[in-house]
Each structure stands twice: as structure tokens, then as C-alpha cells.
């Protein structure tokens, strides 16, 4: 049986997020762009991607009235930005994920 001191050492309060290696770097990067890092993407890129998505007709051939989910839009915007700047995709995702971990106080092992 596990000792109480061992159980307390391993216990993490539910309000403190823990590092999940399955989410690094892509999901953490997208979470950063849809949360605290919302203003990182330049306004020009946001506008161009938004206009391109809204101009594309939906499955019924009509103009879109609603936007796609926020995470999908963030991924489209990041991809458009990377195309324009020519930066390495993996390095950028890691940098965004690291910023997310720092902003939320999540320790990476």
C-alpha cells in the first residue's frame, strides 16, 4: 500500500494544469493562439484568412454566415503566416507551445 506522504507528493491540485506530452507542441501552440496569444498573429493575416474563408461558399453553394471553430481558424491563420514568412513550421509550433507553457505555469519535464 502507498504511504500518505508519497500520495501527497504525487498529488497535484486540479486548478494547476500538468504537462501532457501528447499535446506538445501542436495543441499547446493552437491553445496559445486561441487564448492568451490571440494578438500574436498580425491583423493583415487575420483579415486575409477571414475574408478567404467567408468568401468560400458552404456545401449548399451559399455564402457562409458563421465562421469555422476558433482552433481551425487559428491553424489556418498560422499556416498563412508561415507561408508568407517562410519560417520553419516545427520551430514555430515549439516556440508557441513553450510560450503557452510559460504563460500557464506548466513545467515541462
Amino acid at each position: 500500500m502507498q504511504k500518505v506522504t508519497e500520495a501527497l507528493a504525487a498529488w497535484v491540485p486540479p486548478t494547476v494544469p500538468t504537462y501532457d506530452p501528447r499535446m506538445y507542441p501542436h495543441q499547446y501552440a493552437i491553445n496559445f493562439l486561441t487564448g492568451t496569444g490571440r494578438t500574436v498573429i498580425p491583423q493583415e493575416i487575420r483579415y486575409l484568412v477571414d475574408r478567404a474563408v467567408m468568401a468560400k461558399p458552404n456545401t449548399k453553394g451559399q455564402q457562409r454566415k458563421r465562421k469555422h471553430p476558433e482552433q481551425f481558424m487559428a491553424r489556418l491563420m498560422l499556416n498563412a503566416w508561415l507561408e508568407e514568412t517562410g519560417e520553419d513550421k516545427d520551430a514555430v509550433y515549439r516556440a508557441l507551445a513553450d510560450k503557452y507553457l510559460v504563460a500557464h505555469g506548466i513545467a515541462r519535464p
Side-chain angles (χ1 to χ4, degrees):
M1 168 134 320
Q2 186 179 24
K3 293 183 180 183
V4 174
T5 54
E6 293 172 356
L8 286 176
W11 181 79
V12 178
T15 58
V16 176
T18 57
Y19 177 77
D20 186 357
R22 295 171 296 167
M23 291 178 64
Y24 186 84
H26 292 88
Q27 189 60 46
Y28 282 138
I30 296 302
N31 287 352
F32 179 73
L33 290 176
T34 57
T36 55
R38 187 179 307 263
T39 59
V40 171
I41 297 176
Q43 193 65 33
E44 302 87 41
I45 298 290
R46 290 180 163 284
Y47 180 77
L48 288 174
V49 170
D50 188 50
R51 290 296 103 210
V53 166
M54 294 305 279
K56 189 175 180 182
N58 63 13
T59 55
K60 296 178 183 176
Q62 301 169 345
Q63 183 179 0
R64 287 193 185 279
K65 295 182 179 116
R66 294 183 294 166
K67 292 183 183 178
H68 290 289
E70 194 174 10
Q71 289 190 342
F72 179 75
M73 291 297 290
R75 193 173 303 270
L76 287 178
M77 290 176 193
L78 181 59
N79 288 340
W81 195 15
L82 289 174
E83 266 183 34
E84 190 170 303
T85 60
E87 292 180 77
D88 180 38
K89 187 176 183 176
D90 292 330
V92 169
Y93 270 97
R94 282 190 196 94
L96 290 169
D98 290 340
K99 284 290 184 185
Y100 178 84
L101 295 176
V102 168
H104 289 83
I106 300 173
R108 184 173 168 213

